[in-house]
Amino acid sequence: MRTLTVDLGDRSYPIYIGADLLSQSNLYRPHIRGKQVCIVTNETIAPLYLEQVKQGLEGYQVDEVVLPDGEQFKNLDTLNLIFDKLLEKRHNRTTTLIALGGGVVGDMTGFAAASYQRGVDFIQIPTTLLSQVDSSVGGKTGVNHALGKNMIGAFHQPRCVLADTGVLSSLPARELAAGIAEVVKYGLIADAPFMDWLEANMDALVAKDGEALAYAVERSCQNKADVVAKDEREGGIRAILNLGHTFGHAIETAMGYGEWLHGEAVATGMVMAADLSQRLGWLNKADVERVEKLLLRAALPVKAPTAVTEEDFLSLMAVDKKVLDGQLRLVLMKAVGEAVVTSDFPVETLKETIAASY
Ligand SMILES: NC(=O)c1ccc[n+]([C@@H]2O[C@H](COP(=O)([O-])OP(=O)(O)OC[C@H]3O[C@@H](n4cnc5c(N)ncnc54)[C@H](O)[C@@H]3O)[C@@H](O)[C@H]2O)c1
Ligand SMILES: [Zn+2]
């Protein structure tokens, strides 16, 4: 097992990474401060892993909420199911929520914890690769609104994160690949040596090799923890974690949520960001091809869907939440392993990138 720390002063917390951690409740029990626990999961994950987690919680009042599965349920209505249960079972301010699931369950549970009785503790047990390397770390929580993804939320850090790479054995291949896109993101924004490692180990990752997965999760979490420690509330540097996301969100939104997985849209978005960086003279063509090749090895899409037109891209990117003071800011690359946030590019060049992305 490997342990990392997210360094946030008195709100610092550990990330435990390894195989078969679900059965090791000694890891997370010390982070439960009261006598009450509420496990939040969904109908896909409950039959697979809920019993195992419950077994480790002997001695506590344990309640559970099993949510419907899907991004379309990541909304205020579904969130209420968590509050209903907490109030019905009289959970008080010392309760601890446990998020057992992917990013959807994690984001909703975190937001429920941020707002229930003005804030209670929560623990993340992420079960997708994406949630292990990204959403469970850093304290962004929330739900979607009909008019925008993740538009209602709060910053609320977990007490600990338990990333059991063993649970990835049941994860569908397409979901694994979506998580790999976020792993590649860390290499591209700040970790050139990790890009080399990924090129040497992509086949092992796709094959769910345990050692390779644990290393990728650890290195990704380390990268994320470093950025979050510097800029918890995204006043500046944290924005680099959104590489590929402004393009990607446009694809997700235009296609309708659920059609393209988030990680798939981010993969194509990162290729578009690389292309624009190349047009600005920062990357060379070989760099762009390198990014594409690596993502293709994980069977990720690298071309935008023709159903998303140039106008769709421009209008959807303009409302993306990364827009500050009316200026479209994008995360681009000065080099492989060095991201920058900039609004310093001609719109004409952005249009060339969109035109070349199909
Ligand atoms: N908070 C953040 O910083 C942050 C960062 C990135 C993404 N997100 C959010 O995360 C969400 C996406 O997360 P996700 O990709 O984990 O999707 P998800 O939570 O929808 O999980 C994907 C699918 O895999 C299933 N699943 C989960 N674990 C499984 C397992 N071990 N075995 C079999 N099936 C399993 C789920 O039930 C679901 O059907 C989005 O809502 C996104 O906005 C948040
Ligand atoms: Zn993402």
Side-chain angles (χ1 to χ4, degrees):
M1 188 191 70
R2 309 141 201 253
T3 307
L4 304 175
T5 304
V6 184
D7 199 353
L8 291 168
D10 58 1
R11 287 173 301 115
S12 295
Y13 56 93
I15 306 170
Y16 305 111
I17 302 159
D20 199 28
L21 300 189
L22 225 51
S23 60
Q24 299 182 39
S25 63
N26 57 313
L27 289 173
Y28 58 86
R29 281 175 74 113
H31 300 283
I32 300 172
R33 294 195 280 194
K35 287 271 160 250
Q36 298 175 306
V37 172
C38 183
I39 306 169
V40 182
T41 187
N42 76 23
E43 58 201 10
T44 304
I45 300 147
L48 295 169
Y49 305 114
L50 179 58
E51 255 335 290
Q52 207 176 338
V53 175
K54 273 167 77 176
Q55 270 170 21
L57 290 166
E58 217 174 274
Y60 294 93
Q61 174 193 329
V62 182
D63 293 300
E64 62 198 54
V65 183
V66 180
L67 303 174
D69 184 2
E71 180 80 32
Q72 70 272 31
F73 299 108
K74 187 179 160 184
N75 57 34
L76 288 170
D77 288 339
T78 312
L79 193 71
N80 249 325
L81 299 174
I82 305 175
F83 297 136
D84 289 348
K85 177 70 73 175
L86 292 171
L87 288 165
E88 212 176 276
K89 301 287 184 182
R90 299 178 184 279
H91 282 249
N92 61 39
R93 271 193 282 178
T94 66
T95 190
T96 297
L97 308 195
I98 297 181
L100 175 66
V104 169
V105 166
D107 280 13
M108 282 202 287
T109 308
F111 186 43
S115 45
Y116 183 67
Q117 301 206 8
R118 299 186 187 83
V120 297
D121 287 348
F122 84 114
I123 288 172
Q124 288 273 19
I125 306 186
T127 62
T128 61
L129 181 61
L130 186 136
S131 56
Q132 295 188 351
V133 300
D134 193 355
S135 61
S136 66
V137 174
K140 279 193 185 178
T141 73
V143 295
N144 300 329
H145 185 279
L147 297 180
K149 200 171 142 62
N150 295 328
M151 282 294 156
I152 317 291
F155 283 98
H156 191 54
Q157 301 291 345
R159 304 288 305 172
C160 75
V161 179
L162 192 85
D164 182 339
T165 50
V167 303
L168 301 177
S169 62
S170 56
L171 192 68
R174 197 177 158 199
E175 296 289 349
L176 182 84
I180 290 176
E182 301 279 6
V183 171
V184 170
K185 179 185 79 177
Y186 295 111
L188 291 176
I189 59 181
D191 195 348
F194 190 33
M195 278 297 286
D196 298 336
W197 184 90
L198 285 166
E199 284 171 328
N201 292 280
M202 184 54 82
D203 300 341
L205 276 184
V206 171
K208 294 187 181 173
D209 174 84
E211 257 314 298
L213 282 173
Y215 184 76
V217 171
E218 179 191 5
R219 186 98 176 211
S220 299
C221 286
Q222 186 65 64
N223 270 291
K224 180 146 188 189
D226 288 347
V227 173
V228 168
K230 284 189 203 129
D231 177 24
E232 184 182 4
R233 290 183 173 242
E234 200 164 318
I237 184 78
R238 185 165 176 171
I240 62 169
L241 295 174
N242 295 320
L243 176 69
H245 281 58
T246 305
F247 293 108
H249 283 162
I251 295 173
E252 283 181 271
T253 308
M255 297 301 286
Y257 294 140
E259 197 59 38
W260 275 49
L261 296 179
H262 173 73
E264 293 172 337
V266 167
T268 297
M270 291 192 298
V271 173
M272 293 176 79
D275 179 274
L276 182 51
S277 305
Q278 186 261 317
R279 286 171 201 276
L280 296 171
W282 298 339
L283 297 189
N284 54 47
K285 286 216 158 86
D287 293 326
V288 183
E289 280 167 22
R290 189 180 168 202
V291 177
E292 272 185 354
K293 252 171 110 177
L294 185 60
L295 296 168
L296 281 170
R297 284 174 64 194
L300 285 159
V302 296
K303 300 276 179 217
T306 48
V308 187
T309 64
E310 180 183 305
E311 272 115 75
D312 290 337
F313 268 112
L314 292 173
S315 68
L316 288 165
M317 287 169 72
V319 305
D320 190 275
K321 65 177 181 247
K322 260 72 75 189
V323 176
L324 268 191
D325 308 328
Q327 278 225 325
L328 176 59
R329 286 151 45 93
L330 288 174
V331 187
L332 300 177
M333 283 167 272
K334 284 279 180 187
V336 168
E338 189 191 340
V340 284
V341 183
T342 179
S343 51
D344 193 17
F345 51 84
V347 175
E348 282 316 309
T349 315
L350 171 61
K351 287 183 180 168
E352 284 170 25
T353 286
I354 296 169
S357 71
Y358 301 105

